C-alpha cells in the first residue's frame, strides 16, 4: 500500500509499505475522510525528535476492512470515527483521570508515535471495541473528523482551565484548536471570551463560536492589551498557539487564583521560562496545566453528541476540501504553509 509521510527530517513524500497486520482485538481501516493537523507538520520538522519512513496523519473517518475475531461491536464495511488517541485500555496509565498516557508520556498517541499514521490506503487501530465509534446518524463524516482531535483537544484546554459561569477567558491562538476552545468555553458558561489571533477567517469563526473580543499579537504586547481590557487579568487563559513566550504571557495575564491551560505543542528544543514575579513570586495560587487530547470511544462519542445535538457546528473549521488520496499531499503542504485563508483542509477518499 502507499502512504504519505515523513521520509526524513523536513522531507515529506509518498512511502510504499506492507498493509498493516490486524492483531488481537484490533481493526484495519481504510480512510474515507482525512485531515492534516499542525502536529503532523511539527513532527515533520523535528518537533518531537528525528524520525524517518513514518506515515503521518491521525485524524480520520473510515471504513472497517478487517477485524479480529475478538472484536464484538464492529464488522467489515462499518463507517467509523477514529479517535486520534487510541489507548491500550489494559495499561495502568489509563486507569486514572487521563487516558492519553497509557504506557508513559503520550503513550496512547499511537499514530506518529509508535506506528504509522492514517495518511495511507489502510491503517491499524488497536483495541477496536474501546477505541472506535460508529459514525452517528445525523453527523456528516467531515463534521465527525473535526471531533477526533480538534474538538477533543480544544475542549480539553477548556476542561483544564476550570471555566466557570461568567468567567473571563483568554484563548491565545485561534487556529482550529483555539477555535474549539472558544466554542467549548462558551458552552461551559464563560462570560467574556477574548481571542488572540489575526487570520480574518479565524476571527470570523471565533466570533461565531462566542468570542466577545479579538486582539492581535501584532498590535503590541498582548499582556498589556489584556490587562487594559480586563482591568486586572483573566480568570483563565488557554494557550492554543503562539510561541514559547506565550507561556509567560499567559501566566502574567491570569489573575491570582486563576488557571493557565496549555494545549499547544512546544517543540522539543524550546525552553519555557518565566520571571518569578509573573507567577506571583510563586505565591499567587495560579494553577498551570498542560494536557494532551483525550481519546477512546467514550470521549469521542461525547464529542460527537455535541455535534449531533446542535451545540457546535464543527464544519465551520473546514475551509478547503480535496478529493482523492493523492491530494493528501496538497492538503498537507497547505497545513504546513498556513496561507491566510486556511483554517482546516479535509480530503475525501473513495
Ligand atoms: P494554527 O492553525 O497554527 O493556529 C495557531 C494560532 O496561534 C493562530 O491563531 C496564530 O495567529 C496564533 N499565533 C501565532 N503566533 C502567535 C503569537 N506570537 N502570539 C499569539 N498567538 C499567536 O494551529 P492549530 O492547528 O490550531 O494548533 C494549535 C497547536 O495545538 C499546535 O501547536 C498543535 O500542534 C497543537 N495541538 C495540540 C494537541 C494536544 O493534544 N495538546 C492536539 C492537536 C494540536 P494567526 O491568526 O496570526 O495565524
Ligand atoms: Zn493533532
Amino acid at each position: 500500500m502507499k502512504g504519505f509521510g515523513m521520509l526524513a527530517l523536513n522531507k515529506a513524500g509518498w512511502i510504499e509499505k506492507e498493509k498493516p497486520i490486524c492483531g488481537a482485538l484490533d481493526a484495519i481501516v481504510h480512510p474515507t475522510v482525512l485531515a492534516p493537523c499542525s502536529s503532523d507538520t511539527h513532527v515533520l520538522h523535528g518537533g518531537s525528535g528525528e524520525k524517518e519512513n513514518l506515515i503521518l496523519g491521525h485524524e480520520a473517518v473510515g471504513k472497517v476492512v478487517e477485524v479480529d475475531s475478538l472484536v464484538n461491536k464492529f464488522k467489515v464495511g462499518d463507517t467509523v470515527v477514529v479517535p486520534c488517541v487510541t489507548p491500550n485500555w489494559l495499561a495502568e496509565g489509563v486507569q486514572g483521570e487521563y487516558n492519553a498516557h497509557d504506557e508513559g508520556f503520550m503513550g496512547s498517541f499511537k499514530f506518529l508515535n509508535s506506528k504509522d499514521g492514517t495518511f495511507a490506503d489502510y491503517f491499524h487501530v488497536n483495541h477496536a471495541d474501546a477505541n472506535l465509534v460508529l459514525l452517528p446518524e445525523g453527523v456528516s463524516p467531515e463534521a465527525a473528523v473535526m471531533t477526533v482531535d480538534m474538538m477533543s483537544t480544544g475542549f480539553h484546554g477548556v476542561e483544564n482551565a476550570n471555566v466557570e459561569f461568567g468567567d473571563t477567558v483568554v484563548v491565545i491562538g485561534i487556529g482550529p484548536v483555539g477555535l474549539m476552545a472558544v466554542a467549548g468555553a462558551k458552552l461551559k458558561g464563560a462570560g467574556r471570551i477574548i481571542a488572540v489571533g489575526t487570520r480574518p477567517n479565524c476571527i470570523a469563526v471565533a466570533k461565531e463560536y462566542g468570542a466577545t473580543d479579538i486582539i492581535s499579537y501584532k498590535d503590541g504586547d498582548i499582556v498589556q492589551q489584556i490587562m487594559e481590557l480586563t482591568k486586572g487579568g483573566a480568570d483563565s487563559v488557554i494557550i492554543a498557539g503562539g510561541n514559547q513566550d506565550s507561556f509567560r504571557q499567559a501566566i502574567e495575564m491570569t489573575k491570582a487564583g486563576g488557571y493557565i491551560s496549555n494545549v499547544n505543542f512546544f517543540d522539543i528544543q524550546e525552553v519555557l521560562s518565566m520571571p518569578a514575579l509573573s507567577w506571583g513570586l510563586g505565591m499567587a495560587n495560579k494553577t498551570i496545566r498542560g494536557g494532551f487530547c483525550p481519546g477512546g470511544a467514550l470521549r469521542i462519542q461525547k464529542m460527537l453528541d455535541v455535534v449531533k445535538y446542535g451545540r457546535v457546528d464543527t464544519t465551520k473549521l473546514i475551509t478547503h476540501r480535496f478529493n482523492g488520496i493523492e491530494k493528501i499531499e496538497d492538503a498537507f503542504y497547505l497545513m504546513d504553509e498556513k496561507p491566510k485563508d486556511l483554517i482546516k483542509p479535509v480530503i475525501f477518499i473513495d
Side-chain angles (χ1 to χ4, degrees), residues 10-335:
N10 295 320
K11 195 160 186 275
W14 290 94
I15 302 171
E16 282 289 331
K17 287 215 176 177
E18 292 295 316
K19 186 177 168 189
I21 293 165
C22 184
L25 304 171
D26 302 346
I28 303 296
V29 176
H30 164 73
T32 51
V33 188
L34 291 168
C37 173
S38 298
S39 302
D40 292 309
T41 67
H42 278 300
V43 169
L44 175 67
H45 300 303
S48 57
E50 286 208 22
K51 294 180 176 179
E52 56 177 27
N53 205 31
L54 174 75
I55 294 173
L56 294 169
H58 52 276
E59 298 177 23
V61 168
K63 275 215 180 329
V64 174
V65 295
E66 209 177 321
V67 279
D68 180 61
S69 59
L70 293 170
V71 173
N72 292 316
K73 295 184 185 164
F74 301 96
K75 59 182 188 318
V76 170
D78 283 345
T79 299
V80 287
V81 185
V82 186
C84 77
V85 165
T86 54
N88 163 8
W89 290 99
L90 300 175
E92 200 174 276
V94 301
Q95 292 164 17
E97 190 178 348
Y98 302 105
N99 72 34
H101 315 284
D102 59 2
E103 288 155 292
F105 164 59
M106 277 172 70
S108 310
F109 188 45
K110 309 291 182 200
F111 301 122
L112 312 193
N113 237 346
S114 54
K115 67 178 180 188
D116 284 316
T118 58
F119 290 167
D121 293 318
Y122 304 99
F123 60 86
H124 169 265
V125 180
N126 58 297
H127 286 198
D129 277 336
N131 281 322
L132 291 175
V133 185
L134 275 181
L135 179 69
E137 237 172 78
V139 178
S140 69
E142 65 173 32
V145 84
M146 292 297 121
T147 66
V148 300
D149 184 358
M150 298 300 96
M151 182 184 265
S152 187
T153 299
F155 280 22
H156 190 49
V158 177
E159 289 160 338
N160 275 347
N162 198 44
V163 175
E164 294 184 359
F165 292 123
D167 274 358
T168 293
V169 180
V170 174
V171 179
I172 300 180
I174 45 168
V177 173
L179 287 170
M180 281 291 107
V182 170
K186 182 180 174 197
L187 283 180
K188 283 272 193 178
R192 193 173 196 181
I193 302 175
I194 306 172
V196 182
T198 69
R199 280 181 271 159
N201 275 353
C202 297
I203 290 173
V205 176
K207 288 180 180 167
E208 289 176 40
Y209 280 159
T212 53
D213 305 73
I214 307 285
I215 66 165
S216 166
Y217 58 91
K218 293 180 182 166
D219 289 346
D221 182 15
I222 61 168
V223 178
Q224 205 181 331
Q225 293 188 62
I226 298 284
M227 289 317 230
E228 277 167 20
L229 270 179
T230 56
K231 312 223 177 323
D235 296 297
S236 61
V237 178
I238 300 166
I239 311 170
N243 55 32
Q244 57 192 7
D245 204 31
S246 307
F247 179 67
R248 172 199 51 86
Q249 292 171 324
I251 295 163
E252 278 181 11
M253 65 177 77
T254 303
K255 278 185 194 164
Y259 286 76
I260 299 95
S261 165
N262 180 75
V263 286
N264 195 42
F265 179 159
F266 291 108
D267 282 351
I268 207 162
Q269 61 276 19
E270 284 179 316
V271 175
L272 303 180
S273 59
M274 60 175 169
L277 185 57
S278 306
W279 199 31
L281 305 173
M283 296 177 281
N285 295 93
K286 296 186 189 184
T287 303
I288 301 170
R289 291 173 171 167
F292 189 60
C293 177
L298 177 63
R299 170 71 174 189
I300 299 308
Q301 185 68 62
K302 288 188 177 191
M303 299 296 106
L304 289 163
D305 277 353
V306 173
V307 176
K308 179 171 172 150
Y309 295 103
R311 307 295 177 199
V312 175
D313 176 2
T314 52
T315 63
K316 287 182 197 288
L317 299 180
I318 303 169
T319 49
H320 294 68
R321 291 173 173 80
F322 294 90
N323 285 292
I325 194 160
E326 67 289 349
K327 295 289 183 189
I328 290 175
E329 190 169 353
D330 294 356
F332 179 81
Y333 287 126
L334 210 52
M335 204 65 192

